[in-house]
Structure formats: C-alpha cells, structure tokens
Amino acid sequence: MNFASDNWAGAHPAIAQQLLAASAGFAAPYGASELDRAVEQRFNELFEREVAVYFVGTGTAANSLALAAINRPGGVTFCHREAHMLEDECGAPEFFTHGARLAAVDGELGKIDPAKLAAEIRRFPADFIHAGQPMAVSITQASEIGTVYRPDEIAAIAEVAQTHGLPLHMDGARFANALVALNLTPADMTWRLGVDIVSFGATKNGCWCAEALVFMNPAAAKDLPFIRKRAAQLFSKSRFIAAQFQAYLHEGLWLALARHANAMAARLQQGIAASGRARLAWPAEANEVFAILTQADAARLRAAGAVFYPWNPPHAAPGLLAEHETLVRLVASFATQPDDVERFIDVLG
C-alpha cells in the first residue's frame, strides 16, 4: 500500500532491459551517439514538428535550465503559488538563472487564473527598472494537486503570455498522466495551444532517470548546450538516458503506464468517496488523490502498512480541515497493484 509518490516506484522491466542492451559495446558520448539521434527524431515525430531536445537527469534540472535559456536581467517568471518550481526545488530556478525570481499567481484547483496572471504581469511595467522585467510564464501539467489544465485553459494562459511577449513553459513531470486524462496528442496539449517549452518527465512514469527539455522552436535553445554543460547536466554516457526514452516511447508504453496509474487513482478515489469515513478534498484528474482523513484514521492506515504523505492545504482553500482532520496525498504509479488499492479501501472501512 505504497502511495507516497510515483518517485518511489522502480523502473518498468522493458526500460531496465533496454538499459542492459545499451550497456554493450561502444557509442559516441555527450549526446552524439546514433541512439541519441534516433530518440531525438522520435521526439520530432511525437510533437509533429522539428523540436530541440536536451536530455537531463532530473525534473528540477529541466525546469531550471528552461528558465536559464530564456533568462533576462532582473527576470521574473510567473507560476502558480503551489507550483513545484516555487515550493519544492530549493531555489534551483533562481540559482541557475543567477537571481531571476518566481512570482506567485493565484488560481483555483492548482491552476493559474488568466485574469490574475495578467494583473500580476502588469505589476512590472517596462519603464520601471526597480521591479525587474517579466521573462516567462510556467504551468504545471498535471498540477501539484492532481488537477489538469484543459485545452481552453492552456490557450487562455498562452494568450496572456503572448500579449506580453513571454514564452510559456510547461512543467510536465506528469506529462503522460495529463495527456491520457485529456485524450490529447503531445502536439495538441502543447505548441498548438501556445506552449513554447516543455519539461518532459519520464522518471515518475517508469523510467530510472530520464527527463528531456523540449523547445518547440529550436532557435530559442541556441545557448542551451552551453548552459547544460555549465550546469553539469551534459551526461558523458547520455545513451543511457536515450535508451530509457527509446523503450519508454516504443509502441505507446509510456501512455499505457500512465493509463494504469490514472486508473488506480480513480479506483482509490472511488473507494474513499464511498467509505463514509473520509472525503475527497477535490476530484482527482490524473494519478494523485487528495483526501481528508481524521488523524485517527490516518494513524490507523499507517499502522496497517499504508505509506502516504500529509499535505499542506492550498492557499486557495482556507478552512478545508476541521481541527481533528488532516489532508493527505495518495499517488498511484505504473507499479501500483489493484490489490493494494482494495486493501487500502478495506482498511479505511
């Protein structure tokens, strides 16, 4: 009953096998191997256009280097108040941009409100040098509270960004989970709606250590090779990241893994809603479920072997908890078994 995080899950056997296959023989280093090139071409096919792809080792690196590539003096990136890059990356985006800031924007259900985004951007007029200058907008798909931006919501945020001449970045640590939840193609969830840069995550969905930074306009990434090298994210044996993506993207494996995780979360959500002992904080739309339990029930579940994290209530949801209650996050992964979900529901009662 491990629902702590999809980071806790291991690697899918097909991906582990591909890593083993890539370990034989010799291959050009630093992204120059035939395998690297083949996987880069696979990304072109995936996004239905020529893109620039850069492999990195972590999602934090992908987000931070995305902002570093579009950095401006006194730069400000606008993101949701609960965004991962703001709450959980230990200042890495600010560090790798040499001091560019993250400005919090509010919005219900973990998603940026376009009107509030426009208002926040207006706080930085072009002729007022003391405030700094806007440089980007970033959205998290799926969001930090398990909700998903709909196409019209992405397009509305992109319109605000474009009005102000700002690139739109998508933190896609759970990109596949959002994609299958919306039944869209990668192109339809990104550049066709106005997204310029994607942090394409695979580690949470069955890979060992595989993240990609994808620029829809390759010219916008002209400095990224140097930025990545300086940040110590240019892997010598990068074919091992490429090998993971080769297996991950082969015959739709990545989508099947995400569908399984989402289905396990949906069953978990259904069981919690029907339990009579707990309630959902809000509807889950991908593979994360947020539930409100009594503190006694949370302790009882942990004693029975369930693993999950307590979670801070969103700023936009004051008064969510009673004094004896706690908010918890339950994450399903490609490795979550139906029996574990049913056992959790049974123990909850």
Side-chain angles (χ1 to χ4, degrees), residues 182-194:
L182 294 171
N183 194 29
L184 295 174
T185 68
D188 287 340
M189 198 173 77
T190 58
W191 63 267
R192 288 192 176 121
L193 297 173

Side-chain angles (χ1 to χ4, degrees), residues 199-285:
S199 295
F200 188 99
T203 303
K204 286 182 165 68
N205 193 36
C207 284
W208 170 71
C209 178
E211 309 285 322
L213 190 50
V214 183
F215 284 77
M216 302 304 154
N217 175 13
K222 62 183 178 63
D223 292 330
L224 206 284
F226 300 96
I227 293 170
R228 180 176 62 165
K229 174 64 175 179
R230 186 178 61 182
Q233 283 292 318
L234 177 58
F235 283 63
S236 171
K237 297 181 180 180
S238 65
R239 72 182 189 267
F240 290 108
I241 297 182
Q244 293 174 74
F245 276 120
Q246 183 182 43
Y248 184 66
L249 300 174
H250 183 62
E251 295 184 347
L253 176 64
W254 66 301
L255 302 177
L257 298 180
R259 287 191 188 99
H260 174 81
N262 287 10
M264 293 297 95
R267 174 61 188 126
L268 191 59
Q269 175 175 234
Q270 180 185 41
I272 291 169
S275 70
R277 298 191 63 90
R279 67 185 189 276
L280 298 170
W282 46 80
E285 296 179 325

Side-chain angles (χ1 to χ4, degrees), residues 27-269:
Y30 302 117
S33 74
E34 292 182 6
L35 179 56
D36 284 270
R37 298 297 185 226
V39 174
E40 289 171 5
Q41 177 57 35
R42 182 71 183 94
F43 272 92
N44 290 338
E45 297 166 2
L46 206 66
F47 283 94
E48 303 175 51
R49 64 181 292 163
E50 182 183 355
V51 297
V53 183
Y54 298 91
F55 301 144
V56 295
T58 70
T60 295
N63 289 341
S64 300
L65 300 190
L67 299 188
I70 54 177
N71 194 18
R72 304 178 70 185
V76 179
T77 294
F78 303 89
C79 60
H80 192 271
R81 186 172 299 279
E82 270 95 31
H84 193 274
M85 65 167 55
L86 182 60
E87 292 284 318
D88 297 293
E89 293 185 346
C90 198
E94 294 95 330
F95 178 82
F96 283 101
T97 54
H98 301 280
R101 291 170 292 154
L102 301 176
V105 182
D106 290 312
E108 299 291 329
L109 295 175
K111 296 183 282 188
I112 288 175
D113 182 305
K116 291 179 179 178
L117 171 62
E120 189 65 28
I121 293 173
R122 288 195 296 270
R123 293 170 60 90
F124 297 86
D127 58 351
F128 187 67
I129 63 170
H130 305 286
Q133 57 183 330
M135 76 179 201
V137 176
S138 180
I139 59 175
T140 309
Q141 180 75 321
S143 81
E144 284 303 295
I145 63 169
T147 54
V148 173
Y149 283 92
R150 307 292 170 184
D152 61 319
E153 294 172 324
I154 298 173
I157 291 170
E159 183 179 1
V160 174
Q162 290 165 2
T163 297
H164 294 275
L166 305 178
L168 177 57
H169 166 257
M170 177 180 284
D171 177 355
R174 296 185 174 94
F175 186 91
N177 301 97
L179 196 72
V180 299
L182 294 171
N183 194 29
L184 295 174
T185 68
D188 287 340
M189 198 173 77
T190 58
W191 63 267
R192 288 192 176 121
L193 297 173
V195 175
D196 300 291
I197 308 167
V198 176
S199 295
F200 188 99
T203 303
K204 286 182 165 68
N205 193 36
C207 284
W208 170 71
C209 178
E211 309 285 322
L213 190 50
V214 183
F215 284 77
M216 302 304 154
N217 175 13
K222 62 183 178 63
D223 292 330
L224 206 284
F226 300 96
I227 293 170
R228 180 176 62 165
K229 174 64 175 179
R230 186 178 61 182
Q233 283 292 318
L234 177 58
F235 283 63
S236 171
K237 297 181 180 180
S238 65
R239 72 182 189 267
F240 290 108
I241 297 182
Q244 293 174 74
F245 276 120
Q246 183 182 43
Y248 184 66
L249 300 174
H250 183 62
E251 295 184 347
L253 176 64
W254 66 301
L255 302 177
L257 298 180
R259 287 191 188 99
H260 174 81
N262 287 10
M264 293 297 95
R267 174 61 188 126
L268 191 59
Q269 175 175 234

